[in-house]
Amino acid sequence: MSSHHIVKDDQEPALIIQAPISNLEHLKQLLEWSPTVISSYEALDWLLTESINIDVLICTEAELSSATEKLQHQLPVKFLTFHSLEKGIIPEAISFLTYAKYGAAHIIGPFKADLLQQTPLSIGVIWSDDLHQWALVKHGNYKKWYNHHQQIVLLEEPAKIAGNYTISHEAYCYLETQSEGILEIQNSDPFWIGEPISD
């Protein structure tokens, strides 16, 4: 699906595939733009089963020989190897993309906001798990037009919300629009905003 291509400036967001997700259709939609695909060793078999080409594989030195064998039919693939990947591949992938002058990355895998707190972010980040697509709002101000009865998820209640909505608190802070129109969210710190992924 993804075609191998050379890194260039101002391209579409790269895809960092950390782990398999159940919503394969969502991933296929992202692949239509032929992004650079960066995979973890954990996601490799899943991607190969789905015939998805990989441009960059991040793995440990111990996984390299097995990964090279599995990707023989897809070469050339760039391998980024590390002695250990205790924090997972995401910080390393973001560091690589920043160096390669990418403007944004789209992460696929279980959402863990705290993983990026220690990672310097000079690129835009979106993160899709099985249920939501999360966007990181870096500058504390978010404004978007929503239809009636759309749902938005926040990790915690922000300083200010303007618009026509109801709010409920469970594990996260859930908003639902009560009419179509603009919803504006402001917070002093960067925050994540999630929208449900449709099947």
Side-chain angles (χ1 to χ4, degrees):
M1 269 183 218
S2 162
S3 56
H4 295 299
H5 62 289
I6 295 163
V7 171
K8 59 191 184 301
D9 290 341
D10 301 323
Q11 68 282 73
E12 69 289 320
L15 267 180
I16 301 171
I17 303 177
Q18 172 207 18
I21 58 170
S22 58
N23 193 331
L24 185 62
E25 197 50 47
H26 179 64
L27 176 59
K28 286 182 176 176
Q29 287 170 4
L30 296 171
L31 287 165
E32 284 173 8
W33 300 96
S34 295
T36 298
V37 175
I38 301 175
S39 173
S40 68
Y41 185 78
E42 180 190 350
L44 179 57
D45 287 341
W46 177 59
L47 295 176
L48 291 174
T49 301
E50 298 300 336
S51 302
I52 294 169
N53 285 346
I54 294 159
D55 298 294
V56 180
L57 184 88
I58 298 181
C59 62
T60 63
E61 290 161 4
E63 294 161 341
L64 180 60
S65 139
S66 161
T68 308
E69 197 174 313
K70 289 179 181 185
L71 284 165
Q72 203 63 41
H73 67 291
Q74 279 197 21
L75 296 175
V77 174
K78 184 176 184 66
F79 292 92
L80 298 180
T81 56
F82 296 88
H83 179 63
S84 93
L85 282 165
E86 284 173 25
K87 293 179 184 172
I89 73 155
I90 291 169
E92 302 300 349
I94 286 174
S95 172
F96 167 75
L97 292 171
T98 304
Y99 178 77
K101 298 197 168 20
Y102 276 72
H106 197 129
I107 300 166
I108 301 288
F111 177 63
K112 294 176 184 156
D114 56 346
L115 204 67
L116 290 183
Q117 284 173 345
Q118 314 305 319
T119 308
L121 278 182
S122 56
I123 64 173
V125 175
I126 292 173
W127 197 322
S128 294
D129 57 19
D130 280 324
L131 299 173
H132 298 95
Q133 181 166 293
W134 298 88
L136 180 60
V137 181
K138 286 196 215 170
H139 302 296
N141 195 14
Y142 175 88
K143 190 188 281 192
K144 185 176 172 182
W145 175 276
Y146 284 97
N147 292 321
H148 192 201
H149 288 313
Q150 275 194 270
Q151 288 190 324
I152 300 101
V153 189
L154 300 158
L155 299 186
E156 52 196 33
E157 191 165 344
K160 185 180 175 189
I161 309 170
N164 189 5
Y165 65 93
T166 57
I167 188 166
S168 62
H169 296 274
E170 292 166 41
Y172 296 138
C173 171
Y174 292 87
L175 306 180
E176 184 172 329
T177 57
Q178 296 304 297
S179 63
E180 63 176 34
I182 288 182
L183 194 68
E184 187 169 4
I185 300 169
Q186 294 177 333
N187 208 40
S188 53
D189 297 320
F191 61 93
W192 289 93
I193 185 158
E195 295 179 3
I197 295 172
S198 52
D199 294 328

